[in-house]
């Protein structure tokens, strides 16, 4: 009898441990070291990551910030702690990935290419830990003037005061490239202002034109156009062909519909680059796989934040990708049956 009683007790203990293990396996967990110095989160998909993914975006009046903020919110809901912060946009974002201040960012595909290969503004300082996740949407190059301005072409900007973008931004780089191709870069009065500052300066008549490289319609311009109608200066085929001949292969033709902004009276030919979601190569493969999945599983939520998100699609996820993919993103696309070009496959080793 005593032996049977002992066996019964052992059986109960084993059963208790088994049940506890099952219950623990069905819920997400969060563990922290003493004092909260380090936190490891487990999402419902089983992904664990210690720390917070900081996503560099852009100014609050552009497209990067609202999309990046919503994306961070979606990642948090999926169990991956993330936060979006404002920044100087593409060039600053690439540098932030390089120095470890950011683990993810949104940036132009041309700037990403320059950063990875150490060209132009990154000459001698390549950022080799930059990896691609997805191409998001076309970013329109917009030379914006007041609707009543006598500026009709890029050449008419000679002698005018032009806001060329925030210092170190992709917009500033694009402005220089395009205005040099048009032959007026050295003939304008240059002003460094971000989208919001430039829009207000244009409204107040403090500048003659503002260069905006962003998804169109850009909120900063839409807001001022309500009371100060605007136009977008057309960019000719001659300028586009010259850019391509000089190695700026990222520019593509885009036509802005006449209803883009109040004040436009006709469809306007201009140029575009592509916005990319990029990450640091140091992020674990399973984390980036989940980040990629969250992006495409929640396109509707992103579209509710900004209409440019309507372009986010698996069908165009690799269009304009100018740097190697992160292995986590690559795995996701392979599982979805996408053919990944050899030139953007993750580096071996």
């Amino acid at each position: 009898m005593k032996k049977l009683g002992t066996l019964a007790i052992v059986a109960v203990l084993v059963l208790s441990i088994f049940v506890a293990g099952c219950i623990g396996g069905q819920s997400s967990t969060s563990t922290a070291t003493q004092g909260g110095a380090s936190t490891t989160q487990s999402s419902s998909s089983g992904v664990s990551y210690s720390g917070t993914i900081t996503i560099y975006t852009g100014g609050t009046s552009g497209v990067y910030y609202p999309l990046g903020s919503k994306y961070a919110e979606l990642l948090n809901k999926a169990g991956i702690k993330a936060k979006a912060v404002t920044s100087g946009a593409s060039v600053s974002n690439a540098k932030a990935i390089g120095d470890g201040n950011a683990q993810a960012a949104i940036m132009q595909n041309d700037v990403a290419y320059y950063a990875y290969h150490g060209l132009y503004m990154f000459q001698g300082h390549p950022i080799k830990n930059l990896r691609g996740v997805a191409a998001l949407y076309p970013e329109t190059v917009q030379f914006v003037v007041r609707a009543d301005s006598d500026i009709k072409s890029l050449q008419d900007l000679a002698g005018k005061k032009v806001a060329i973008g925030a210092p170190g931004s992709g917009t500033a780089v694009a402005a220089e490239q395009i205005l040099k191709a048009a032959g007026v870069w050295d003939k304008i009065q240059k002003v460094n202002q971000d989208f919001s500052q430039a829009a207000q300066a244009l409204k107040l008549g403090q500048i003659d034109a503002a260069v905006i490289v962003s998804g169109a319609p850009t909120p900063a311009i839409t807001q001022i156009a309500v009371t100060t109608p605007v136009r977008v200066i057309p960019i000719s085929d001659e300028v586009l062909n010259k850019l391509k001949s000089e190695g700026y292969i990222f520019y593509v033709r885009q036509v802005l519909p006449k209803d883009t902004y109040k004040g436009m009276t006709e469809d306007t030919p201009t140029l575009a680059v592509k916005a990319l979601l990029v990450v640091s190569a140091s992020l674990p493969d399973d984390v980036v796989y989940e980040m990629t999945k969250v992006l495409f599983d929640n396109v509707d939520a992103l579209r509710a934040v900004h209409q440019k998100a309507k372009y986010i699609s698996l069908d165009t996820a690799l269009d304009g990708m100018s740097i190697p993919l992160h292995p986590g993103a690559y795995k996701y696309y392979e599982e979805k049956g996408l053919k990944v070009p050899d030139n953007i496959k993750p580096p071996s080793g």
Side-chain angles (χ1 to χ4, degrees):
M1 291 294 291
K2 184 176 181 180
K3 184 176 182 181
L4 288 175
T6 300
L7 289 174
I9 293 173
V10 171
V12 170
L13 288 173
V14 171
L15 181 60
S16 298
I17 292 171
F18 175 77
V19 171
C22 290
I23 293 173
Q26 293 171 346
S27 61
S28 62
T29 62
S30 178
T31 61
T33 61
Q34 192 171 12
S38 175
T39 300
T40 299
Q41 297 176 318
S42 295
S43 70
S44 56
S45 63
V47 173
S48 294
Y49 180 68
S50 178
T52 299
I53 294 175
T54 299
I55 306 170
Y56 268 46
T57 59
T60 56
S61 296
V63 181
Y64 287 7
Y65 183 72
L67 283 184
S69 296
K70 186 63 178 180
Y71 181 55
E73 178 186 319
L74 294 168
L75 289 176
N76 279 295
K77 288 182 178 178
I80 300 174
K81 192 174 182 181
K83 65 177 181 179
V85 299
T86 59
S87 72
S90 294
V91 175
S92 298
N93 292 359
K95 291 179 178 178
I97 293 284
D99 60 27
N101 286 331
Q103 292 73 48
I106 303 175
M107 68 182 63
Q108 293 167 204
N109 62 344
D110 55 340
V111 175
Y113 181 89
Y114 301 152
Y116 185 79
H117 293 282
L119 302 173
Y120 304 105
M121 70 291 286
F122 300 97
Q123 187 70 45
H125 301 283
I127 301 176
K128 288 298 186 180
N129 66 329
L130 204 60
R131 296 290 183 272
V133 174
L136 303 177
Y137 60 86
E139 291 197 66
T140 311
V141 179
Q142 305 165 77
F143 284 78
V144 185
V145 297
R146 294 167 65 118
D148 58 4
S149 170
D150 60 356
I151 299 172
K152 307 295 183 182
S153 69
L154 293 181
Q155 286 70 29
D156 291 339
L157 290 173
K160 305 296 185 181
K161 187 177 290 187
V162 183
I164 60 170
S169 68
T171 295
V173 174
E176 180 176 358
Q177 292 170 353
I178 294 169
L179 291 176
K180 278 185 175 179
V184 294
W185 175 249
D186 294 327
K187 301 176 183 178
I188 65 170
Q189 300 177 52
K190 305 171 186 67
V191 180
N192 284 115
Q193 293 178 321
D194 64 22
F195 297 167
S196 180
Q197 294 169 333
Q200 290 305 312
L202 187 66
K203 178 179 179 179
L204 296 172
Q206 297 170 343
I207 59 172
D208 300 297
V211 186
I212 308 290
V213 181
S214 177
T218 304
I221 302 302
T222 300
Q223 290 165 12
I224 68 161
V226 173
T227 56
T228 307
V230 300
R231 285 186 291 106
V232 175
I233 304 173
I235 299 179
S236 67
D237 286 339
E238 181 182 1
V239 170
L240 175 57
N241 292 336
K242 187 170 184 180
L243 286 166
K244 289 188 174 182
S245 70
E246 293 176 349
Y248 302 111
I249 60 176
F250 307 101
Y251 292 109
V252 297
R253 173 62 72 199
Q254 185 178 10
V255 177
L256 276 185
K258 63 183 179 181
D259 61 354
T260 302
Y261 299 115
K262 181 181 178 182
M264 292 179 63
T265 58
E266 58 186 6
D267 295 347
T268 303
T270 184
L271 307 180
V273 290
K274 293 294 288 284
L276 304 181
L277 175 62
V278 304
V279 294
S280 169
S282 64
L283 284 179
D285 293 0
D286 60 344
V287 172
V288 178
Y289 175 93
E290 187 68 13
M291 290 174 69
T292 312
K293 184 177 187 300
V294 167
L295 175 69
F296 291 108
D297 283 354
N298 294 277
V299 173
D300 287 343
L302 294 169
R303 288 172 181 168
V305 172
H306 197 285
Q307 62 179 325
K308 293 303 291 186
K310 69 183 179 182
Y311 293 102
I312 300 175
S313 167
L314 265 177
D315 294 335
T316 57
L318 302 179
D319 293 354
M321 181 58 64
S322 57
I323 58 175
L325 290 171
H326 190 285
Y330 176 64
K331 177 184 177 182
Y332 178 84
Y333 294 131
E334 278 205 316
E335 289 183 359
K336 291 296 182 179
L338 271 66
K339 181 175 177 57
V340 178
D342 290 340
N343 66 318
I344 61 169
K345 288 181 179 179
S348 58

